[in-house]
Amino acid sequence: MGSIRLLMIALVAAIVLLAPALSSTQPAMGQPDAVARITPVQGLVQHRADTDLAYEWETLTEDAFLYEGDWVQTDHAGLAEVVFFEGNFVEILPDSLLQVEEFAFEDEDSPVVVIDLSVGDILTEIDHRLDNDSRYEVHTPTAVVSVRGTRFFTTVTWQAETIINHETGTLAVSGVAPDGTISPPILISTTQQLPITSDGAIGEPGPFNPPDYP
């Protein structure tokens, strides 16, 4: 698995150099740099820019670039893979809606990545250890998940409940109350599941139970 991810990252880096050849994702003059590359795997995978005031979704049938603020959604059979240009990997599972909320660098070696998952499931893989200036977070309506090199699933139900299935690494989770108050983070162990209710209350850890997907 590690060698495959490294190969994907190397391919992404090479393709970035050929960006003008990608007609469907060629950046307009003055547009910020792309932050990730998305590959539609199956089903319906759609994308739109946050600046698109018409809220028109583009159906992806081939690889495309993602920019800070972009949205991605999948249908009941949709799967997509996202490789960020600093090396981290996200798999978007069916019936999901997310936004690349933030992508920046505190310095040359310290990435800041924030993903906002509105509903659905994602699998996140952080293959390298982040330094103290780095920040990688997954935000949901009721939780903030902070990462220090790990692999975990994040689920958001239509009832705005969040479920974290933590497979490996170090993970800190905070609940988010309806008024926006964020609770102190708690650390969860590997191969554990942690539920967060729709009002941001953190439940008791249970056995690791990742979602089923094609």
Side-chain angles (χ1 to χ4, degrees):
M1 179 69 74
S3 61
I4 294 175
R5 294 285 178 261
L6 290 174
L7 177 59
M8 287 180 62
I9 293 166
L11 288 173
V12 166
I15 292 170
V16 170
L17 299 177
L18 301 176
L22 297 170
S23 59
S24 65
T25 58
Q26 183 173 346
M29 184 172 294
Q31 182 171 338
D33 293 337
V35 302
R37 184 171 180 81
I38 182 170
T39 300
V41 177
Q42 67 174 46
L44 182 66
V45 178
Q46 294 184 306
H47 156 269
R48 73 170 173 85
D50 192 44
T51 54
D52 184 355
L53 299 181
Y55 298 102
E56 294 182 355
W57 291 89
E58 172 194 8
T59 297
L60 299 180
T61 59
E62 60 185 9
D63 289 6
F65 287 137
L66 293 180
Y67 298 84
E68 187 178 59
D70 283 6
W71 291 82
V72 178
Q73 67 178 4
T74 57
D75 72 352
H76 66 280
L79 281 175
E81 295 178 346
V82 176
V83 178
F84 285 91
F85 292 156
E86 64 5 312
N88 294 319
F89 174 84
V90 173
E91 187 167 13
I92 306 172
L93 280 55
D95 290 322
S96 298
L97 172 66
L98 64 81
Q99 182 184 31
V100 181
E101 184 176 320
E102 183 179 0
F103 184 99
F105 280 88
E106 291 294 332
D107 57 49
E108 185 174 326
D109 300 314
S110 302
V112 174
V113 181
V114 179
I115 295 175
D116 192 332
L117 178 63
S118 298
V119 69
D121 302 270
I122 59 174
L123 167 63
T124 304
E125 292 189 15
I126 312 298
D127 288 333
H128 60 278
R129 185 171 180 82
L130 305 178
D131 61 33
N132 290 333
D133 294 323
S134 301
R135 183 163 58 92
Y136 192 104
E137 295 179 352
V138 176
H139 293 182
T140 79
T142 57
V144 173
V145 185
S146 301
V147 182
R148 285 293 175 191
T150 191
R151 173 185 164 98
F152 65 101
F153 293 86
T154 306
T155 296
V156 178
T157 70
W158 287 102
Q159 292 74 36
E161 299 166 333
T162 300
I163 302 169
I164 308 298
N165 277 286
H166 183 209
E167 189 168 349
T168 61
T170 303
L171 204 60
V173 180
S174 297
V176 180
D179 64 0
T181 301
I182 300 175
S183 67
I186 67 168
L187 297 178
I188 59 173
S189 302
T190 57
T191 63
Q192 276 193 332
Q193 181 184 93
L194 185 70
I196 300 96
T197 66
S198 59
D199 60 2
I202 296 178
E204 293 295 326
F208 178 74
N209 186 27
D212 294 326
Y213 64 100

